[in-house]
Amino acid sequence: MKKYIWGRIFRSLISIFLVTTLTYIVIYSMVPRRDVFKSDTMVSKLRSDPDKLSDYENNAFAKMNYIEYYDTKSLVAKVKKDSPEVTAAVNATNEKAIKQWAAKHNFAVKQFKQSKRYYVTRELPLYERLGRFYGNLIQWDNPWAVHDKNNPNMKRYLKFTNDKLVGFALVGSGTKYRYQIYFNSSFPYIHQNFLKFNLGTSYPTYAGLPVSSVIGGRQGRAEVTQYTYPDGSKRNTADNVYLRSYQPKNRQDKTEFARYGDDYTSTEQVLSDPSMIGTSFKAGIFALIITYLISIPMAILMARYKGGWVDKLGTGIVTVLIAVPSLAFIYAFRYLFTTWFGVPDSFPTLGATAFSSWVGPTLVLAGLSVSGLVIWFRRYMIDQQSSDYVKFAKAKGLNDGEIYRKHIFKNASIPIVQGIPGSIIGLIGGATMTETIFAMPGMGKMLPDAIITHNNPIVIGLVFIFTTISVFSILLGDLLMTAVDPRIKLSASGDD
Amino acid sequence: MAKKNAAVAAEAIKPKAVAKDEDFVLVSLDKKATEIIDTPKYSYWKSVWKTFFANPVTIFMLVLMIIILLMSYIQPMFSGYSLLDVKGVNDFGARYNWPSAKYWFGTDADGKSLFDAVWAGAKTSISIGVIASVIVTVVGVIVGAFWGVSKKIDRIMLEIYNVISNVPMTLIVIVLSYTFGNGFWNLIFAMTVTSWLGTAYFIRVQVMIMRDREYNIASRTLGTPTRRMIFRNILPYLTSVIVTQVSQLLPSFISIEVFLSFLGVGLSSNVPSLGRLISQYSPYMTSYPYLFWLPVLVLALITVSLYIVGQNLADASDPRTHM
Amino acid sequence: MTVNKKDVLLSLRDLEISFGEGKNKFVAVQDVNFDIYRGETFSLVGESGSGKTTIGRAILGINPTSNGTITFNGTQINKKLSHHQEQDVSRKIQMIFQDPSASLNERATIDYIISEGLYNFNLFDSEEDRLQKVTQIIEEVGLLPEHLYRYPHEFSGGQRQRIGIARALIMQPELVVADEPISALDVSIRAQVLNLLKKFQRESNLTYLFIAHDLSVVHFISDRIAVIRNGRILELAETEELFNNPLHPYTQALLSAVPIPDPKLAREKKLLVYDPKMHDYSVDKPSFVEVKPGHFIYANAPEEEHYRQLLDEQAQGVN
């Protein structure tokens, strides 16, 4: 069994890898790369200055790993290693040296339109881009992560101490983040900074931000908390002290250094709203619970009074729910919720902090997957009702209620567990529409947003996250199945 | 009255006279006569139609479906609706008319008739749904059938399926239609390129259930080649399963098209579709609600009628319902 | 009936059939040896799970064999054959199935079902020729030409089984494996089907491998009978020999279970129960030995001695 689970995990990882790679290849080779500038306002601003524009565009392409790019200054610095006499000036000798260097390193030499100064670019082949993507994907923080010329005698350690600022934590020095593992009062109470996913840099929306912090970073307004600093001062600040990271000596602020007592003075702000992934996760979990709370009793009633009016009404509702396009469904229910419960029809109206903002999207999300589950549970219940053990129980003289309590419910845990992975995948699909229509700042809304703005790195990042979630929810579903029903053996070679 | 009837009945069954041996004539036994089947000839499709039309809900939905289909394909020929037509934009009398005898579904900001727009949009949406369903079903059924009978194909296809099926379908379609750019056939390609795998897998399982049935073994002993086994022995048994698949695929493809057009991914900007109408008119939900809700209503009627007709056809095509 | 004993049509040697691999390996049939002569009816009798159907299906190439050979007309057929050979063998060996309702394609007309083999091997010159062949065979099995355009579910069990026979025999096979062809039928029509099979044998010198689970059925039609249990043949002899001198305790037990259509005699009959523990094969290994010409039995040396003695006593008794 253990061997089987490891095998499954391995195959799941392969699945994620293949899907992400395929998406990467398809997007980066088929979407015209110039499309990224379609909705970029900088491009129209720079139109009057063609030199700056090409510099801007090449920088953008370089950020997205389309090309490798050196502007004049860094090019000269590079070429100097080979031929020290080279300068930035436009003349024949310099051009010769640069061309020589470029030929050696496979770069193409180009000149800016106005200034005629040299710059070089190199197309990155697809495999190299993919290699960079996966090579940088997982980032482990360690005491040898930071190298600062101005701080040669930096201490390098990891130790578990009672930190003056954050309490007990695994504190690092020489690491990128100060607190490798820390505890606080927010869910899930134990947090880490040593493992980070690097999914590239977002562009053109959220330009320059890492994709992982666009999707995983908190959103909304800054929130102020009071901390007691190591120097004894008490201050109200929006800085997220848990995420303190190393600030190079030459950019350090004296007062900050004094306040924290170490080099880890770079912080981000604490924001009020959950991240995109958090928003989707929150809505998704509650939707899943509501889905089950609605569909299980509904299916039981329909199965128990099979052929009766409850069953017929239920079947009618479910049929319509399946047939009606999700878009129409979402709009109709949003309208009903708004008029009945008075909840806002758009998430940002009251924001993430208001409970009522969550009611609409969560209920709609749940409603979308109810129909599928009801059909599945009802079928299962009916099969159970006509099974031999139920007939036997009837023959023994048990009444319907007893049979349901003592026999059918016990077995019902199997389809309930079986339905979970499917529901999660369904929720991901439904979230795209629901979040878009409710303008809810989650991953589901981000996908079409990223597509419309041609933000390829975000699209890849989201595909990666969605695939990971669904692959592992299927794995989890299968493992849960064996837990609730020991008769099921996954390792048996199934149907062939 | 009742008593009298009973008396008549009793009279009728009372033997007039006692039969004697010579009253009987010896008839030679016609062996062939015992083999004759008296029941009318069974025809599969005739029975399907009979069962299908026995349900009044089905007939109602069928009529609704036919009306919608006719309207979608004939009305646009006469209306000459164009999404880019802005003739009426300055004619205040033509703008924002509520539904009336003249404008059945009202008019929009450009003075365009919503009635024309809805049917032109429905035509695109239904066409996409039908074409995508046909492609997915044909490819899925054929691949699934061979997948189910061949162990060699099974091994490869199962790996491919395991990778693809893990990914939410909407995600794949959104990413693909983004990648291939906007356009009618691009959209169909994006919708079908991976979806056939789901149908194929479903058919594979059905074929596996069928393939070791005794009548298939009998065919094998008669030397029937795999291809004829699939088309003559297995697929005819799967008619109702295949119809069920189609009846689920059709609304789901229409739904996906609507959603993609709503997002602005998929069709090019000059092609009207229900999704585009819904997206375009969603800001009018409170000010001119007819502009938004009428396309939504038509969309719902299309998918519901197609789905219910399909489901009932699938039920009717299952010979167990013919008895 | 005169059977040319020299002319062996089918020969099974050391046949072993197993399912699964490794830990789950299950040997269904082992050390099976017998010959079937051209024109005879050879019966294989055993309880369910004894492996008799498995042997039948192995001959048709449905179940793969794990050891031993199956030789048909002098050619080994349980190996990779050339396309031509395979076609030839699959035409010449046909099968009649146990359950006539499960073995007919419910979605095809009788015309197609009977013609299926003809289509596969292109055994007709023209459409008229095919129709003529189909009409002829359907009349021979006692059905009417008008039945050709009907579907299997419109027929009774006996009629369906005759359709199954027609579809096998239209191929003009040399060997027909009949897998319990009458056990799913009403008692009233069993004789009808058996007579039909006999009729075809007389007319076209067919060879039958008849698989059955009780001896009473095969008594009527077989020339020779093999008794099989747990994948092994325990006794093989000509029909009369087996019924007169059943040697193996298992055969005796089977015979004691044959119903006697006379209540008085039936009351006196003693039902024998076979217990495989009665054999002590721990020291002396058994083998399939010929104790009398044409009479084979699975026994070890002391048992063989005992059986020979029994036969001698019986022979003296008769004299």
Side-chain angles (χ1 to χ4, degrees):
Chain A
M1 192 62 197
K2 217 178 227 165
K3 198 177 151 203
Y4 172 79
I5 294 174
W6 282 113
R8 273 294 296 268
I9 292 175
F10 179 70
R11 288 171 82 140
S12 303
L13 290 174
I14 296 276
S15 268
I16 298 167
F17 170 77
L18 284 177
V19 170
T20 315
T21 307
L22 271 175
T23 316
Y24 196 97
I25 292 173
V26 160
I27 286 184
Y28 278 100
S29 58
M30 301 200 60
V31 177
R33 70 166 74 155
R34 285 215 58 85
D35 281 3
V36 297
F37 298 119
K38 267 186 182 165
S39 45
D40 190 347
T41 45
M42 271 305 275
V43 173
S44 46
K45 272 187 213 155
L46 289 172
R47 193 134 290 157
S48 54
D49 189 344
D51 285 13
K52 273 199 181 141
L53 181 64
S54 19
D55 183 55
Y56 178 81
E57 286 180 350
N58 283 323
N59 265 320
F61 287 142
K63 259 185 210 146
M64 285 184 287
N65 278 333
Y66 276 118
I67 58 169
E68 208 166 348
Y69 166 64
Y70 293 122
D71 64 4
T72 317
K73 199 175 149 202
S74 34
L75 172 66
V76 169
K78 287 265 173 199
V79 179
K80 269 214 165 97
K81 280 176 198 158
D82 285 5
S83 25
E85 71 290 345
V86 79
T87 61
V90 181
N91 61 42
T93 46
N94 280 343
E95 188 171 330
K96 197 181 158 209
I98 287 169
K99 280 202 169 141
Q100 221 168 7
W101 179 89
K104 199 169 121 195
H105 294 89
N106 262 332
F107 276 82
V109 181
K110 287 169 188 163
Q111 282 175 297
F112 286 111
K113 273 207 187 93
Q114 278 179 333
S115 63
K116 302 289 174 209
R117 282 150 65 102
Y118 302 107
Y119 68 94
V120 288
T121 57
R122 181 171 72 91
E123 289 293 314
L124 286 182
L126 201 56
Y127 64 85
E128 204 176 332
R129 274 191 254 163
L130 267 171
R132 285 185 183 199
F133 178 76
Y134 285 113
N136 296 330
L137 183 62
I138 296 167
Q139 308 244 308
W140 291 98
D141 203 359
N142 63 69
W144 293 270
V146 172
H147 294 279
D148 187 358
K149 266 187 288 184
N150 304 320
N151 190 7
N153 301 321
M154 191 178 188
K155 282 185 204 137
R156 297 185 186 279
Y157 62 80
L158 273 180
K159 63 182 177 193
F160 195 78
T161 55
N162 187 358
D163 190 82
K164 281 182 192 136
L165 190 61
V166 302
F168 283 102
L170 183 65
V171 179
S173 182
T175 49
K176 185 160 181 279
Y177 290 95
R178 182 63 170 167
Y179 304 112
Q180 300 287 303
I181 298 175
Y182 60 94
F183 308 89
N184 64 19
S185 58
S186 64
F187 185 80
Y189 314 118
I190 173 163
H191 308 268
Q192 60 88 15
N193 275 325
F194 57 82
L195 173 67
K196 298 269 173 189
F197 281 100
N198 177 4
L199 293 165
T201 311
S202 172
Y203 187 87
T205 44
Y206 303 94
L209 279 177
V211 170
S212 50
S213 63
V214 172
I215 297 170
R218 290 179 72 88
Q219 315 172 79
R221 288 170 292 106
E223 230 168 32
V224 176
T225 326
Q226 194 183 59
Y227 290 104
T228 312
Y229 283 83
D231 67 353
S233 64
K234 273 191 183 179
R235 298 176 61 87
N236 288 326
T237 176
D239 291 346
N240 188 346
V241 295
Y242 297 105
L243 292 180
R244 284 163 59 205
S245 59
Y246 186 80
Q247 183 79 290
K249 279 278 187 209
N250 53 0
R251 271 187 273 159
Q252 260 172 33
D253 182 278
K254 285 274 171 329
T255 50
E256 294 263 303
F257 180 80
R259 197 179 295 149
Y260 290 114
D262 54 41
D263 298 318
Y264 290 81
T265 57
S266 168
T267 52
E268 290 160 28
Q269 287 194 312
V270 179
L271 302 176
S272 57
D273 300 346
S275 61
M276 287 176 185
I277 194 167
T279 307
S280 297
F281 188 74
K282 236 182 187 174
I285 287 289
F286 284 109
L288 192 67
I289 294 169
I290 295 168
T291 308
Y292 273 84
L293 286 181
I294 297 172
S295 45
I296 293 174
M298 190 167 160
I300 289 173
L301 276 178
M302 282 165 69
R304 194 162 169 189
Y305 303 106
K306 188 185 156 223
W309 68 270
V310 178
D311 189 26
K312 280 189 181 136
L313 180 73
T315 311
I317 293 174
V318 166
T319 310
V320 171
L321 286 190
I322 288 178
V324 169
S326 315
L327 192 74
F329 176 92
I330 296 170
Y331 270 119
F333 275 79
R334 186 178 74 151
Y335 177 76
L336 291 182
F337 292 144
T338 326
T339 44
W340 289 349
F341 308 142
V343 296
D345 63 358
S346 173
F347 193 85
T349 315
L350 295 176
T353 41
F355 172 77
S356 58
S357 303
W358 295 84
V359 174
T362 311
L363 287 182
V364 163
L365 212 46
L368 285 174
S369 37
V370 160
S371 46
L373 274 181
V374 167
I375 288 193
W376 159 235
F377 287 156
R378 176 182 172 273
R379 184 76 260 152
Y380 187 86
M381 289 288 176
I382 287 172
D383 289 349
Q384 292 295 312
Q385 278 171 359
S386 54
S387 63
D388 286 343
Y389 78 89
V390 170
K391 282 183 194 155
F392 182 68
K394 265 189 193 149
K396 261 184 7 185
L398 268 69
N399 63 36
D400 278 1
E402 282 172 309
I403 291 173
Y404 267 88
R405 272 198 309 280
K406 291 184 180 164
H407 296 286
I408 296 184
F409 284 154
K410 263 188 198 162
N411 282 314
S413 58
I414 298 161
I416 289 172
V417 167
Q418 235 170 358
I420 292 178
S423 311
I424 293 175
I425 293 177
L427 284 174
I428 293 175
T432 324
M433 304 184 208
T434 313
E435 290 179 7
T436 307
I437 290 170
F438 279 92
M440 191 174 173
M443 289 196 295
K445 180 177 179 294
M446 193 62 218
L447 182 65
D449 284 358
I451 279 175
I452 288 161
T453 53
H454 296 276
N455 193 332
N456 296 343
I458 296 266
V459 174
I460 304 276
L462 287 172
V463 168
F464 175 74
I465 292 171
F466 283 139
T467 311
T468 309
I469 294 172
S470 43
V471 165
F472 280 105
S473 65
I474 288 173
L475 178 63
L476 188 73
D478 282 355
L479 296 183
L480 278 176
M481 281 277 290
T482 53
V484 296
D485 188 354
R487 287 171 304 177
I488 296 170
K489 283 202 174 57
L490 293 171
S491 37
S493 58
D495 37 29
D496 46 355
Chain B
M1 189 69 185
K3 241 179 202 169
K4 200 179 166 193
N5 273 351
V8 171
E11 190 69 25
I13 56 165
K14 210 171 97 185
K16 295 248 155 47
V18 179
K20 296 183 198 84
D21 276 356
E22 49 269 33
D23 289 346
F24 294 97
V25 181
L26 190 69
V27 179
S28 68
L29 175 68
D30 181 2
K31 273 207 165 171
K32 294 279 176 196
T34 63
E35 305 289 354
I36 290 173
I37 302 173
D38 288 327
T39 52
K41 219 177 237 179
Y42 172 81
S43 151
Y44 173 71
W45 287 107
K46 230 183 248 168
S47 309
V48 170
W49 296 126
K50 226 176 94 189
T51 321
F52 181 68
F53 286 112
N55 185 348
V57 177
T58 311
I59 296 175
F60 174 75
M61 284 296 172
L62 185 70
V63 171
L64 183 67
M65 185 188 92
I66 291 171
I67 292 174
I68 288 172
L69 287 181
L70 288 178
M71 285 304 284
S72 312
Y73 284 90
I74 294 173
Q75 204 271 349
M77 282 197 259
F78 300 103
S79 69
Y81 176 83
S82 162
L83 200 63
L84 306 175
D85 176 20
V86 286
K87 279 199 299 284
V89 70
N90 290 322
D91 178 0
F92 283 91
R95 288 170 53 180
Y96 298 124
N97 283 304
W98 278 72
S100 63
K102 191 178 173 201
Y103 301 107
W104 286 13
F105 286 6
T107 57
D108 68 357
D110 299 332
K112 282 181 298 200
S113 161
L114 182 64
F115 190 72
D116 298 346
V118 161
W119 297 121
K123 185 184 157 193
T124 317
S125 298
I126 294 173
S127 302
I128 286 174
V130 170
I131 295 171
S133 302
V134 168
I135 294 174
V136 165
T137 309
V138 170
V139 176
V141 166
I142 291 174
V143 174
F146 284 97
W147 184 357
V149 292
S150 158
K151 283 211 168 118
K152 229 184 279 165
I153 297 176
D154 190 39
R155 220 163 288 146
I156 308 161
M157 289 298 295
L158 216 49
E159 293 299 324
I160 299 175
Y161 176 78
N162 281 340
V163 172
I164 304 285
S165 67
N166 279 337
V167 190
M169 153 98 161
T170 10
L171 186 68
I172 297 177
V173 179
I174 292 177
V175 169
L176 285 181
S177 54
Y178 162 53
T179 317
F180 296 118
N182 291 345
F184 186 87
W185 291 106
N186 288 359
L187 178 60
I188 286 179
F189 180 76
M191 290 205 290
T192 52
V193 70
T194 57
S195 342
W196 61 270
L197 260 172
T199 307
Y201 183 76
F202 182 73
I203 295 293
R204 161 197 180 259
V205 176
Q206 301 296 320
V207 169
M208 283 183 145
I209 296 169
M210 303 299 304
R211 77 170 176 208
D212 290 328
R213 294 254 175 108
E214 192 119 297
Y215 77 94
N216 284 319
I217 291 175
S219 282
R220 264 169 64 191
T221 66
L222 285 167
T224 308
T226 308
R227 200 140 51 101
R228 185 177 294 136
M229 291 266 275
I230 289 171
F231 288 105
R232 294 301 299 246
N233 286 19
I234 295 176
L235 290 186
Y237 275 78
L238 300 183
T239 320
S240 72
V241 168
I242 293 168
V243 177
T244 313
Q245 274 283 297
V246 176
S247 78
Q248 285 167 353
L249 283 176
L250 212 62
S252 79
F253 278 129
I254 293 178
S255 190
I256 290 173
E257 182 281 315
V258 165
F259 178 62
L260 291 179
S261 302
F262 174 78
L263 293 180
V265 184
L267 292 169
S268 13
S269 52
N270 57 347
V271 181
S273 88
L274 286 177
R276 189 180 299 281
L277 292 180
I278 293 170
S279 148
Q280 188 182 332
Y281 295 136
S282 60
Y284 301 110
M285 206 185 309
T286 43
S287 51
Y288 301 101
Y290 64 92
L291 277 178
F292 175 77
W293 289 109
L294 283 174
V296 171
L297 181 72
V298 170
L299 173 66
L301 286 180
I302 290 172
T303 52
V304 170
S305 64
L306 284 174
Y307 180 77
I308 291 178
V309 168
Q311 288 286 307
N312 290 339
L313 182 61
D315 283 349
S317 59
D318 183 348
R320 277 172 297 189
T321 62
H322 297 175
M323 304 305 161
Chain C
M1 188 175 295
T2 54
V3 169
N4 182 0
K5 298 233 162 185
K6 292 283 168 289
D7 194 2
V8 174
L9 181 65
L10 184 84
S11 169
L12 271 60
R13 286 288 167 269
D14 303 324
L15 193 69
E16 184 191 285
I17 301 166
S18 56
F19 298 105
E21 270 167 33
K23 253 187 272 171
N24 301 320
K25 186 169 165 173
F26 167 70
V27 181
V29 169
Q30 52 190 324
D31 297 329
V32 165
N33 288 289
F34 62 79
D35 291 334
I36 299 179
Y37 304 120
R38 193 181 292 281
E40 76 165 339
T41 300
F42 184 93
S43 290
L44 203 51
V45 180
E47 59 202 72
S48 53
S50 60
K52 55 188 193 306
T53 300
T54 311
I55 294 175
R57 295 193 168 200
I59 293 168
L60 281 135
I62 302 167
N63 289 337
T65 55
S66 44
N67 221 334
T69 58
I70 301 174
T71 314
F72 177 73
N73 264 340
T75 324
Q76 189 189 339
I77 57 169
N78 61 336
K79 59 169 188 185
K80 189 100 185 87
L81 295 176
S82 72
H83 180 67
H84 181 76
Q85 281 175 314
E86 200 178 292
Q87 290 244 318
D88 189 53
V89 171
S90 54
R91 188 185 70 74
K92 284 183 179 158
I93 307 180
Q94 286 302 318
M95 183 151 178
I96 296 168
F97 287 83
Q98 176 177 1
D99 185 353
S101 49
S103 60
L104 299 180
N105 182 354
E106 294 280 341
R107 299 293 165 84
T109 56
I110 305 307
D111 182 36
Y112 175 76
I113 291 174
I114 294 180
S115 310
E116 192 171 347
L118 299 181
Y119 284 123
N120 294 340
F121 299 113
N122 254 323
L123 297 178
F124 53 91
D125 305 326
S126 62
E127 184 59 24
E128 293 96 67
D129 182 39
R130 183 188 66 81
L131 207 60
Q132 189 252 321
K133 279 183 170 161
V134 173
T135 314
Q136 189 193 334
I137 195 89
I138 202 159
E139 282 175 342
E140 277 182 47
V141 298
L143 295 173
L144 309 173
E146 67 188 59
H147 289 159
L148 285 180
Y149 305 102
R150 289 187 177 263
Y151 289 85
H153 75 257
E154 301 178 77
F155 292 86
S156 69
Q159 286 175 320
R160 281 188 225 186
Q161 193 57 298
R162 281 182 279 153
I163 294 165
I165 292 171
R167 126 176 107 178
L169 295 183
I170 200 170
M171 306 288 285
Q172 295 176 311
E174 292 179 13
L175 175 69
V176 173
V177 177
D179 184 6
E180 306 207 36
I182 58 168
S183 62
L185 302 180
D186 273 2
V187 179
S188 57
I189 51 172
R190 287 182 174 187
Q192 185 193 25
V193 170
L194 286 183
N195 285 332
L196 189 65
L197 290 174
K198 275 279 161 202
K199 186 190 91 170
F200 279 110
Q201 189 170 42
R202 272 198 306 276
E203 284 169 4
S204 42
N205 194 31
L206 271 176
T207 309
Y208 287 130
L209 170 59
F210 200 94
I211 296 166
H213 63 263
D214 69 295
L215 281 166
S216 60
V217 171
V218 296
H219 191 183
F220 168 66
I221 52 160
S222 344
D223 298 302
R224 292 190 304 142
I225 296 173
V227 175
I228 184 171
R229 184 176 186 278
N230 274 355
R232 267 181 202 286
I233 298 206
L234 297 181
E235 191 165 4
L236 190 165
E238 287 188 10
T239 308
E240 287 316 309
E241 169 72 11
L242 192 85
F243 274 80
N244 294 336
N245 295 324
L247 291 177
H248 199 278
Y250 181 64
T251 315
Q252 291 168 349
L254 280 183
L255 275 175
S256 78
V258 171
I260 303 168
D262 181 339
K264 272 185 203 154
L265 289 174
R267 228 170 285 138
E268 282 159 26
K269 200 180 69 167
K270 222 176 87 191
L271 199 68
L272 298 172
V273 177
Y274 173 67
D275 180 9
K277 283 189 204 110
M278 65 191 289
H279 306 285
D280 180 18
Y281 292 150
S282 58
V283 185
D284 206 348
K285 297 292 171 215
S287 59
F288 201 50
V289 290
E290 192 168 15
V291 287
K292 188 181 168 184
H295 195 152
F296 298 81
I297 192 159
Y298 184 66
N300 59 13
E303 283 179 332
E304 188 187 340
E305 193 67 22
H306 170 67
Y307 292 143
R308 282 184 194 281
Q309 223 171 333
L310 273 177
L311 280 172
D312 287 344
E313 280 169 20
Q314 216 130 34
Q316 279 158 14
V318 171
N319 292 340

